[in-house]
Amino acid sequence: AVTKIGEVRIAMGGIQPAPKSVKIELTARCNLRCKYCAVRTRRGRPAPDMDFEFFRRITTDMRMNGVEEIGLFYLGESFMAPDLLVKACRWVSKELKFPWVFLTSNAVNATEHIVEDLMTAGLHSLKWSVNSCNLEQFTEMSGGGTEQQWLAQQKNIKDAWHARNRGNYDTILSASSIRYDPD
């Protein structure tokens, strides 16, 4: 959905300037149902992945109106739509020349090949949202994540680091976490 500024808001103070930073949800799908994430509260089937032509139109408009930073994620896990993700990254970085293109991921589907494609496409920052210290905690926090997902997450984070260093990319790799307290 695209938020429109209504006539009442315009009458109250005019049109506000574009925000410096915007996040776009390319896909509403997610492979986990983490306890701290609002995606688990969504009902029914997720909306279809974003149409690329629509993405091009709105990001072109954003850039022309002063948006400087673009996040290729929101609640959905962007790596669930890897081709769209890489294409979107290439568009905003190489064609629209956004100064800052960023992404946060749970790392489960972030394979080395896709991450390297994103780095080549111009991704500036990739942050891992990893909120568990062992398989038991991962299973509980992720709403039933599997051992295979836990192992993939760990492998993909390591492989991304190796790919960045091997390709001498400038992409910043970082992590965020939520301290877990079972009580």
Side-chain angles (χ1 to χ4, degrees), residues 105-123:
S105 170
N106 65 31
V108 173
N109 290 347
T111 63
E112 183 176 8
H113 174 72
I114 299 166
V115 170
E116 190 158 13
D117 285 350
L118 286 166
M119 291 178 189
T120 300
L123 186 67

Side-chain angles (χ1 to χ4, degrees), residues 8 18 25 73 104 114 134 160 166:
V8 172
E25 186 170 69
F73 71 101
T104 297
I114 299 166
N134 57 40
R166 182 179 60 248

Side-chain angles (χ1 to χ4, degrees), residues 37-49:
C37 183
V39 78
R40 68 186 179 84
T41 64
R42 290 181 174 171
R43 293 190 176 156
R45 296 182 51 141
D49 295 346

Side-chain angles (χ1 to χ4, degrees), residues 31-35 40 108 135-150:
N31 50 350
L32 302 176
R33 289 291 179 258
C34 299
K35 289 185 173 186
R40 68 186 179 84
V108 173
L135 176 59
E136 178 184 354
Q137 204 173 81
F138 174 79
T139 301
E140 184 176 349
M141 291 301 295
S142 66
T146 66
E147 182 175 9
Q148 181 180 356
Q149 289 173 315
W150 160 255

Side-chain angles (χ1 to χ4, degrees), residues 22-168:
V22 174
K23 293 178 188 173
I24 295 180
E25 186 170 69
L26 297 174
T27 181
R29 296 180 287 149
C30 190
N31 50 350
L32 302 176
R33 289 291 179 258
C34 299
K35 289 185 173 186
Y36 53 84
C37 183
V39 78
R40 68 186 179 84
T41 64
R42 290 181 174 171
R43 293 190 176 156
R45 296 182 51 141
D49 295 346
M50 184 174 283
D51 175 71
F52 185 70
E53 290 308 312
F54 177 70
F55 176 82
R56 282 178 46 155
R57 284 194 312 273
I58 64 172
T59 53
T60 299
D61 189 46
M62 288 176 192
R63 188 72 183 117
M64 288 181 358
N65 285 289
V67 175
E68 297 176 18
E69 302 175 355
I70 193 89
L72 300 176
F73 71 101
Y74 189 59
L75 296 179
E77 171 54 48
S78 296
F79 281 92
M80 296 291 290
D83 294 337
L84 175 59
L85 175 59
V86 172
K87 191 174 180 180
C89 184
R90 188 175 299 110
W91 170 253
V92 295
S93 186
K94 303 289 187 192
E95 298 300 322
L96 296 180
K97 303 200 182 315
F98 273 84
W100 192 252
V101 181
F102 62 104
L103 174 61
T104 297
S105 170
N106 65 31
V108 173
N109 290 347
T111 63
E112 183 176 8
H113 174 72
I114 299 166
V115 170
E116 190 158 13
D117 285 350
L118 286 166
M119 291 178 189
T120 300
L123 186 67
H124 296 101
S125 173
L126 176 54
K127 181 169 63 174
W128 307 115
S129 180
V130 180
N131 299 294
S132 55
C133 65
N134 57 40
L135 176 59
E136 178 184 354
Q137 204 173 81
F138 174 79
T139 301
E140 184 176 349
M141 291 301 295
S142 66
T146 66
E147 182 175 9
Q148 181 180 356
Q149 289 173 315
W150 160 255
L151 294 172
Q153 183 183 63
Q154 307 310 304
K155 180 182 185 318
N156 291 340
I157 291 170
K158 290 176 189 173
D159 288 349
W161 185 83
H162 290 296
R164 188 207 44 201
N165 293 344
R166 182 179 60 248
N168 201 27

